[in-house]
Amino acid sequence: IERTYGLYSDLIAEGKVPLMVDDIELAQFVYYLSQHKRMRDTLNILNRKGVLLLGRFKDGGIERLYALRDRLRQHGYMAMIFDFERPDNMSLTETVVTMAGMCQFIVADLSGASVPAELQSMFTQIKKPLLAFGDPYAMFPDVADQTKVIELPPLADLPALLQALSDQLPVLDDLYVQRVSQLQRRYPST
C-alpha cells in the first residue's frame, strides 16, 4: 500500500492525475484508449468482430435479438445490443451511431419502432453493411442508396432466421473485405 501511495504521490506531484475507474474491465478498455498507438488495433478488432443488433424489445423481440447474439457468438462475432442505460453524456441517437461505427455490419429487425430513425442516423455517418429482416417500412428501399443492404425474405420462425443469418455471414464478411480494400486504395499507407 505504501508503494502504491508513493506512486500516486509522485504522479500528482508531477501534475499527472491518474484516471480512476470502477472496475477492471473498464480500466483495461481505458488503458487501450489512452495508449494512442494501440488505438488502431482496438478499433480494428472492434470493426472486424463487432455486430450491432437493432430491433424491437417488446413482444418477444429482445429474446429474438438475444438468440441472434448467441448465434453470432458461435461464429466468433461480438454482437452488441443497446439494452443498457443511455450514457449520461450522449443522446440515444449518438449512442446507436457510436456503436454502429464500431461494427463490421448491422443486423436490423425492421419491426422495431425506432429502427427507421436509427438507420437514417447511422447511414448518414457511416457505411456498414446491413442485414435486414421483417416488414420493410415505406422508405426502407432508400437505405440502399447509403449502404449495402441484404434483405432477408419473410421467414417462418426463429430457427429459420438463425439459419438465414448463418448463411449470410460469408456475404457480410466479403462486403467487409471489399470495404477494407476500398479504404486501403483511398488511403494508401505511407
Side-chain angles (χ1 to χ4, degrees):
I1 293 177
E2 289 177 21
R3 191 171 172 201
T4 303
Y5 177 77
L7 173 65
Y8 281 115
S9 295
D10 292 346
L11 288 171
I12 291 170
E14 294 172 17
K16 300 177 183 176
V17 179
L19 180 63
M20 306 295 277
V21 294
D22 294 332
D23 58 59
I24 191 71
E25 292 90 0
L26 183 56
Q28 187 174 14
F29 184 68
V30 168
Y31 170 77
Y32 280 111
L33 292 177
S34 69
Q35 302 298 311
H36 69 280
K37 294 192 186 287
R38 294 184 180 206
M39 177 61 88
R40 179 180 187 267
D41 295 336
T42 304
L43 292 174
N44 281 338
I45 289 168
L46 289 169
N47 275 280
R48 196 174 310 124
K49 295 295 180 181
V51 178
L52 178 59
L53 302 176
L54 301 173
R56 65 185 161 101
F57 288 8
K58 295 180 182 179
D59 302 321
I62 193 70
E63 290 80 11
R64 182 174 31 257
L65 293 175
Y66 289 154
L68 290 166
R69 179 196 60 197
D70 293 344
R71 177 60 61 100
L72 286 161
R73 284 183 180 165
Q74 291 171 2
H75 289 280
Y77 293 95
M78 182 180 59
M80 298 181 279
I81 302 170
F82 182 18
D83 60 350
F84 51 88
E85 285 288 321
R86 176 193 57 77
D88 293 337
N89 62 344
M90 297 174 80
S91 69
L92 295 172
T93 301
E94 290 169 329
T95 303
V96 171
V97 170
T98 299
M99 292 174 71
M102 294 189 294
C103 292
Q104 178 183 340
F105 60 89
I106 297 152
V107 176
D109 174 355
L110 299 177
S111 68
S114 63
V115 170
E118 291 167 341
L119 294 178
Q120 180 64 34
S121 295
M122 281 186 285
F123 293 129
T124 59
Q125 303 287 322
I126 60 170
K127 304 298 178 218
K128 305 286 179 143
L130 171 66
L131 178 69
F133 64 92
D135 294 327
Y137 51 93
M139 295 180 69
F140 178 72
D142 293 346
V143 172
D145 293 338
Q146 299 172 329
T147 195
K148 303 283 187 187
V149 177
I150 300 170
E151 189 175 351
L152 296 178
L155 301 162
D157 55 18
L158 183 58
L161 173 60
L162 297 175
Q163 185 59 51
L165 171 66
S166 294
D167 293 345
Q168 291 300 322
L169 290 176
V171 176
L172 291 160
D173 284 338
D174 187 52
L175 290 172
Y176 170 76
V177 169
Q178 290 175 28
R179 176 71 172 154
V180 169
S181 296
Q182 176 189 39
L183 291 171
Q184 286 173 341
R185 286 189 304 274
R186 185 181 303 161
Y187 305 106
S189 300
T190 56

